[in-house]
Amino acid sequence: MSQENASKTEHVLPPLPFAQDALEPVISSRTLEFHYGKHHQTYVTNLNKFISGSDLEGKSLEEIIQATRNNADKVGIFNNAAQVWNHTFFWNSLSPQGGKEPPAALKQKMEEAFGSVDACKKELHSAAVTQFGSGWAWLVLEGGRLKVTKTLNADLPLVHNMKPLLTIDVWEHAYYLDYQNRRPDYVQALLDKLANWDFAASNLE
């Protein structure tokens, strides 16, 4: 295989959808320097290393995730592929202009499922704060109805027949430089000022 063709099969770190300092003061540029530039990049690097020369080379992240889930021999591949996917989804779940009124279609579904937008946000906050250890809180669509769920470590709704709309990263590296042990403050600030409801609404389709 030529070097040109080889490069086409490799997964790459996608660019952030905003400037590295655009989320300050809620999430600092220094946190993104490590979270995106180090952690996310390491998952990409490890994934490429693990799948090199295998039948998973050239597959999409989603295909790799589905092919390796619940496979004890390929847990390293699953964890890194899922974390590449989760982090990319997380960056898109944030916006410097976030936290505003959700689009009408999403707001209606929030009200149907939770009673109000605020009640939906409270459910997300609770899921994020009560996730023991590392993991994720998610707003998902299941059976046409919104629900809030949480996953441990690299686990994600895609492998549980749920469609993710928005996520909150509650691994310590997501917030510890800025908030230390104050995870509830990080989650509240993210929901109030950064939550990208437009992105969540686009995932309803």
Side-chain angles (χ1 to χ4, degrees):
M1 181 182 290
S2 71
Q3 186 61 41
E4 180 182 359
N5 288 335
S7 67
K8 290 179 180 177
T9 68
E10 287 200 339
H11 294 272
V12 298
L13 182 69
L16 287 170
F18 39 73
Q20 188 167 295
D21 62 354
L23 305 183
E24 292 186 339
V26 179
I27 298 176
S28 69
S29 175
R30 181 164 169 77
T31 286
L32 279 176
E33 178 186 347
F34 284 95
H35 192 181
Y36 169 74
K38 305 293 186 185
H39 288 278
H40 196 177
Q41 178 63 69
T42 297
Y43 295 130
V44 174
T45 301
N46 286 342
L47 175 63
N48 286 322
K49 180 177 66 176
F50 286 151
I51 66 174
S52 179
S54 77
D55 57 357
L56 295 172
E57 195 170 20
K59 301 288 188 183
S60 70
L61 282 176
E62 291 83 358
E63 289 172 327
I64 294 170
I65 288 166
Q66 294 293 353
T68 58
R69 61 177 296 222
N70 297 327
N71 187 331
D73 292 335
K74 295 182 177 179
V75 65
I77 298 175
F78 173 84
N79 284 340
N80 283 278
Q83 284 293 76
V84 174
W85 194 98
N86 287 347
H87 279 84
T88 301
F89 195 83
F90 176 57
W91 307 134
N92 284 284
S93 294
L94 307 176
S95 169
Q97 293 81 41
K100 299 182 175 66
E101 182 90 349
L106 178 61
K107 182 179 179 182
Q108 181 181 348
K109 283 198 167 288
M110 286 175 160
E111 290 170 346
E112 289 172 357
F114 303 99
S116 68
V117 172
D118 282 345
C120 177
K121 289 171 65 175
K122 285 180 181 176
E123 285 278 335
L124 269 168
H125 187 275
S126 177
V129 170
T130 60
Q131 169 57 41
F132 184 75
S134 300
W136 306 81
W138 305 83
L139 180 66
V140 301
L141 191 65
E142 184 179 44
R145 188 173 178 85
L146 294 190
K147 67 178 285 188
V148 167
T149 189
K150 53 188 175 180
T151 59
L152 179 66
N153 295 328
D155 196 14
L156 69 171
L158 288 179
V159 299
H160 301 288
N161 298 314
M162 294 181 283
K163 186 175 187 180
L165 305 182
L166 185 120
T167 194
I168 301 172
D169 187 344
V170 292
W171 283 63
E172 282 192 344
H173 62 241
Y175 60 88
Y176 217 81
L177 285 177
D178 298 328
Y179 296 88
Q180 287 76 52
N181 63 327
R182 295 179 289 112
R183 186 195 288 188
D185 293 349
Y186 153 74
V187 174
Q188 192 64 57
L190 188 152
L191 286 168
D192 288 344
K193 298 177 180 178
L194 300 182
N196 189 349
W197 300 122
D198 290 334
F199 174 68
S202 74
N203 290 317
L204 287 171
E205 301 169 4

